[in-house]
Amino acid sequence: MSNVLRPALSLIVLMSLITGVAYPLVVTGVAQVAFPAQANGSLVYDASGKVRGSALIAQSFTGDEWFQSRPSAGAFATVASGASNFAPSNPALATRVKEDAAKLANASQEPIPMALLTTSGSGLDPHLSPEAVAWQAGRVAAARQLPLDKVQALIDANTQRPLIGPPVVNVLALNMSLNQLPSAPRNAQL
């Protein structure tokens, strides 16, 4: 019996050390050397060096002076990332969308872009389409007492055009750029 048990236990210990200790340490070391920013969470820092968020995770912004992110099924908590999994016929989904639309609605504007009413698959997508961001530009410009063309120029400057896929705007990066403008209201600091 010990002829079978001893090699089996030795193999379990050896494989546990290789896959549970050595491999993660090697991968972490390579990532820290080759991609240090990404390996540490793609953190976004302000001018004073304070962490303001991650470029990969959406966060909530409140107030008319900020561009709003997509809704989150998990209230922007990373432990609850994921979609709500409500079917289109689910009354809870229809109620949430109607409530969000009522909060965003403005009689003088075009219809609300779907990206501002629907959650992403992860519930934490930090990007919006340039159209969804431009839809909010009038509200942000009015709240900050800025010319609309200046806000639109900021949107254009923060629009990323990936090699594959449509153009996107990172809402955190856009709001940080907005915060750098000299006319930012005192109560509108990130």
Side-chain angles (χ1 to χ4, degrees), residues 85-173:
N85 290 332
F86 289 147
S89 60
N90 190 314
L93 177 62
T95 301
R96 189 200 51 82
V97 169
K98 284 178 187 173
E99 288 172 359
D100 286 352
K103 289 178 196 172
L104 294 170
N106 185 338
S108 65
Q109 285 190 311
E110 299 170 3
I112 302 168
M114 287 302 291
L116 294 173
L117 297 174
T118 57
T119 62
S120 66
S122 68
L124 299 171
D125 186 3
H127 299 101
L128 281 175
S129 68
E131 296 78 23
V133 174
W135 187 88
Q136 302 179 66
R139 172 183 47 81
V140 172
R144 290 182 172 262
Q145 301 167 352
L146 291 169
L148 186 57
D149 61 337
K150 190 171 190 175
V151 174
Q152 186 59 50
L154 201 58
I155 293 169
D156 294 341
N158 281 278
T159 299
Q160 303 166 359
R161 290 174 176 75
L163 192 58
I164 298 173
V168 293
V169 178
N170 185 295
V171 178
L172 174 60

Side-chain angles (χ1 to χ4, degrees), residues 1-8:
M1 182 72 160
S2 70
N3 290 347
V4 174
L5 191 58
R6 196 162 130 203

Side-chain angles (χ1 to χ4, degrees), residues 165-183:
V168 293
V169 178
N170 185 295
V171 178
L172 174 60
L174 177 60
N175 281 336
M176 288 186 63
S177 297
L178 194 60
N179 204 38
Q180 297 301 315
L181 295 177
S183 63

Side-chain angles (χ1 to χ4, degrees), residues 1-16:
M1 182 72 160
S2 70
N3 290 347
V4 174
L5 191 58
R6 196 162 130 203
L9 289 176
S10 299
L11 191 58
I12 286 174
V13 170
L14 177 66
M15 292 308 293
S16 295

